[in-house]
């Protein structure tokens, strides 16, 4: 990383984005020392122009911004920092400094995929997901079939609440099956994108 701090008098803008929801949370400024401290701590540290010092976001409130990745732009004068926020980001108590809510329910599927990946790697005892991986591909495929049939039954003869419940079971078991074969939901998204016609 070779940021041009001199272009704007020693500071560069740092766009802070939620790794999970992709929402822009805030904008701050960093000098070379703030960037170095951010890398060392794994917590976003800005150069505060009002305090005239380094300021780790959350140092008073505990609402830290835990760093997942740092990327420079093509001109090497702006940073994009993807984070996992610990609590509200704005001093007003808002999720973002732009007054937006930082939730996207659809993004929970990505979280669930990552969680199931971790389960496969760690295989903790007492976990239902672990038990599915241990029982093998045939059992996982059988569960997908069972949940698909239950979803169809609820769609044709059941209630809307039960349809959502069974469809959720179907998606969960499908993610487990895909994971066991080395695939992720993103692979389905890529396939659907290829097929999509405007």
């Amino acid at each position: 990383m070779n940021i041009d701090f001199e272009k704007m008098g020693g500071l560069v803008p740092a766009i802070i984005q939620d790794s999970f929801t992709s929402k822009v949370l805030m904008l701050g400024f960093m000098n070379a020392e703030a960037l170095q401290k951010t890398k060392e701590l794994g917590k976003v540290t800005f150069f505060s122009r009002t305090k005239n010092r380094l300021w780790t976001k959350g140092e008073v409130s505990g609402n830290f911004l835990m760093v997942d990745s740092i990327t420079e732009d093509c001109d090497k004068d702006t940073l994009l920092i993807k984070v996992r926020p610990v609590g509200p980001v704005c001093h007003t108590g808002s999720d973002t400094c732009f007054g937006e809510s930082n939730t996207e329910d659809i993004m929970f599927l990505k979280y669930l995929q990552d969680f199931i990946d971790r389960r496969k790697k760690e295989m903790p005892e007492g976990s239902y997901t672990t038990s599915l991986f241990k029982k093998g591909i045939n059992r996982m495929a059988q569960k997908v079939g069972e949940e698909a049939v239950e979803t169809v039954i609820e769609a044709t003869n059941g209630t809307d609440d039960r349809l959502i419940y069974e469809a959720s079971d179907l998606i969960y078991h499908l993610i487990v099956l895909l994971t066991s074969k080395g695939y992720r939901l993103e692979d389905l998204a890529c396939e659907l994108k290829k097929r999509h016609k405007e």
Side-chain angles (χ1 to χ4, degrees):
M1 187 170 289
N2 190 17
I3 296 294
D4 185 357
F5 287 101
E6 296 314 309
K7 193 183 279 189
M8 290 188 284
L11 297 176
V12 296
I15 301 163
I16 309 301
Q17 182 181 40
D18 190 300
S19 298
F20 182 61
T21 64
S22 296
K23 286 265 189 189
V24 172
L25 303 175
M26 69 177 295
L27 173 71
F29 288 88
M30 290 186 171
N31 60 11
E33 191 182 358
L35 177 58
Q36 185 58 39
K37 188 169 181 186
T38 295
K39 290 177 180 178
E40 288 170 5
L41 292 178
K43 298 174 182 173
V44 173
T45 300
F46 297 111
F47 180 81
S48 170
R49 293 169 298 163
T50 53
K51 298 175 178 141
N52 199 33
R53 67 171 176 85
L54 294 186
W55 167 64
T56 300
K57 178 75 175 89
E59 65 186 22
V60 175
S61 66
N63 296 333
F64 296 105
L65 298 170
M66 309 306 292
V67 176
D68 282 333
S69 67
I70 302 174
T71 310
E72 62 190 12
D73 77 336
C74 58
D75 293 325
K76 301 190 179 306
D77 62 5
T78 303
L79 295 167
L80 175 64
I81 304 179
K82 294 188 179 182
V83 302
R84 286 165 285 115
V86 179
V89 172
C90 187
H91 69 279
T92 64
S94 177
D95 287 352
T96 79
C97 288
F98 305 101
E100 295 183 307
S101 173
N102 186 27
T103 57
E104 293 287 342
D105 289 343
I106 191 69
M107 295 304 294
F108 180 76
L109 291 175
K110 181 184 182 312
Y111 169 83
L112 183 60
Q113 174 69 73
D114 292 342
F115 179 82
I116 290 170
D117 282 347
R118 282 196 309 277
R119 281 290 195 254
K120 184 171 187 257
K121 213 173 284 177
E122 297 164 3
M123 298 291 275
E125 287 301 320
S127 158
Y128 175 68
T129 306
T130 297
S131 74
L132 288 172
F133 285 127
K134 284 183 175 178
K135 288 176 183 171
I137 195 77
N138 288 343
R139 179 61 181 147
M140 286 179 265
Q142 180 185 5
K143 284 300 291 180
V144 170
E146 289 172 7
E147 299 302 341
V149 169
E150 289 172 10
T151 300
V152 169
I153 289 169
E154 293 301 331
T156 55
N157 294 309
T159 66
D160 289 347
D161 286 347
R162 290 297 302 169
L163 169 62
I164 295 299
Y165 184 88
E166 295 300 345
S168 298
D169 278 352
L170 173 59
I171 295 295
Y172 161 78
H173 286 93
L174 180 60
I175 296 172
V176 172
L177 178 64
L178 287 168
T179 303
S180 75
K181 299 289 285 181
Y183 294 105
R184 291 176 50 93
L185 275 177
E186 288 90 335
D187 295 301
L188 300 187
C190 288
E191 178 62 25
L192 290 169
K193 190 175 172 184
K194 278 195 289 187
R195 297 183 195 180
H196 180 67
K197 293 178 177 59
E198 290 292 329

